[in-house]
Each structure stands twice: as C-alpha cells, then as structure tokens.
Amino acid sequence: MIFIHPHLVQKARRIKLLLTDCDGVLTDAGVYYSAEGEQLKRFSIRDGMGVERLREICQVETGIMTGETSGSVAKRAEKLRLSHLYLGIKDKASKLREIIEATHLHHDEIAYIGDDVNDLGIIRQVGLSACPSDAMIEVRRVVDYTCHLSGGHGAFREFAELILAGKMIDYPETIFSK
C-alpha cells in the first residue's frame, strides 16, 4: 500500500482525458523486426483494463500519442475503443494545443504518461503527469508521479488507478494499492 499525496488527488479529480505514449509505456520499449519490418509489440492486458475502468467508472477518455506510425498500435487502439489516436506525432506539445482547441478541455483536465525526452514538452503542459519506473531520468525528474511498475508491465494501469482513486475518494488522503 502506498500513500497518494493530497496534491495528486486534487489534480486527478480534474482529469477528463488521459493521453499516453506507446513505446516504453504501453510496451516494454522492445519490438520484434523481420526482413519485412516491424512485426510484433507486446501490450499488457491489464493496461487495457485500465482504459476500460477509466471510461466506465468515471467517463475519462483515453488516447495514444506516439511518434511511430505502427499498424499494431492502431490495432490496439481499435481494440480498446480509444477516442483519440495520434500516430507519427513528432511535436507532442504542439499536438496537445490542437487537442485542447478541438476538445475545449483545459490543460489541467488532461493527464499524460510518457517515458522519454520526446515526452518532456507535453509533460510540462498537462495537469497531471506520470512515467513508468524505468523511464529516462530526465522524465522522472519532472513528472508528478513515477509509477512503481515499468513500461509494458502495468505502469499505465497504475496511473489509471491513481486517477480513479482521486476521482472516487471524498477526503484528501487515501491509500493506493500497487
């Protein structure tokens, strides 16, 4: 059991959209290649349940924003019925501005989880940020929350559960199970 700081609870309560990087968050950052190119990525089923719980319990939408243009990511997003999928995004901070304009959400209503330096621009703009335990040190230094779990092994689910806990509690302190 771990303690959720009241500051994180307050931030989590405002979240309406959770965006995630793919490689290094939803996957373990590994990929299998053949002579034909990318073949396989491994995704956690538990992370998928985090998407469903956010949508069903507290109406938080989820989306993937990645610099890659991977067919397997598109298939995973389709399977999870994600409301937002952004492939091939090299400037995530600029894309966030477009999303805010299109959705009429405020920065503090958007959460993001990423693992590498290309995520820093968006991490600094959202209302609540996180990274997997195995994220790059530069990212771990600036996020609101560093997960106990690593990318592809439940970090997204852990962050989703933190948001759920923040939205469901009626007092400023709670315990949160890993």
Side-chain angles (χ1 to χ4, degrees):
M1 304 299 239
I2 62 171
F3 173 77
I4 299 177
H5 193 279
H7 180 68
L8 290 179
V9 171
Q10 293 306 316
K11 286 183 165 211
R13 286 183 181 189
R14 293 190 289 266
I15 299 305
K16 295 181 180 176
L17 173 62
L18 169 54
L19 296 171
T20 180
D21 182 30
C22 185
D23 294 326
V25 176
L26 297 178
T27 75
D28 62 6
V31 64
Y32 295 92
Y33 278 91
S34 71
E36 290 78 36
E38 178 184 297
Q39 294 296 311
L40 298 171
K41 292 181 186 262
R42 179 195 167 280
F43 294 91
S44 168
I45 297 299
R46 290 186 180 137
D47 288 344
M49 179 59 73
V51 169
E52 186 175 322
R53 286 173 52 79
L54 284 169
R55 181 174 45 240
E56 300 299 321
I57 296 172
C58 57
Q59 294 73 52
V60 170
E61 296 181 44
T62 304
I64 296 173
M65 185 185 299
T66 179
E68 300 296 318
T69 53
S70 169
S72 60
V73 176
K75 284 289 186 190
R76 184 66 176 146
E78 180 183 335
K79 167 81 173 154
L80 295 174
R81 301 183 346 249
L82 296 185
S83 52
H84 302 269
L85 175 61
Y86 308 101
L87 300 174
I89 306 302
K90 300 303 179 190
D91 185 349
K92 294 180 180 184
S94 291
K95 188 64 178 180
L96 177 65
R97 288 188 288 277
E98 291 176 28
I99 293 167
I100 288 170
E101 188 175 309
T103 62
H104 305 289
L105 294 174
H106 296 97
H107 287 89
D108 66 349
E109 296 174 312
I110 300 173
Y112 185 83
I113 179 170
D115 72 306
D116 215 327
V117 294
N118 64 324
D119 297 308
L120 289 171
I122 191 170
I123 284 170
R124 290 184 174 117
Q125 292 186 41
V126 295
L128 179 62
S129 61
C131 70
S133 64
D134 58 342
M136 299 304 297
I137 187 68
E138 298 90 341
V139 176
R140 292 191 313 248
R141 285 184 180 140
V142 299
V143 295
D144 296 308
Y145 181 76
T146 298
C147 297
H148 293 84
L149 300 172
S150 61
H153 297 281
F156 177 88
R157 174 71 178 273
E158 181 179 336
F159 190 42
E161 294 295 332
L162 181 142
I163 293 169
L164 282 164
K167 288 185 160 294
M168 296 178 3
I169 61 174
D170 294 326
Y171 48 92
E173 299 175 353
T174 187
I175 52 175
F176 173 72
S177 176
K178 287 198 265 185

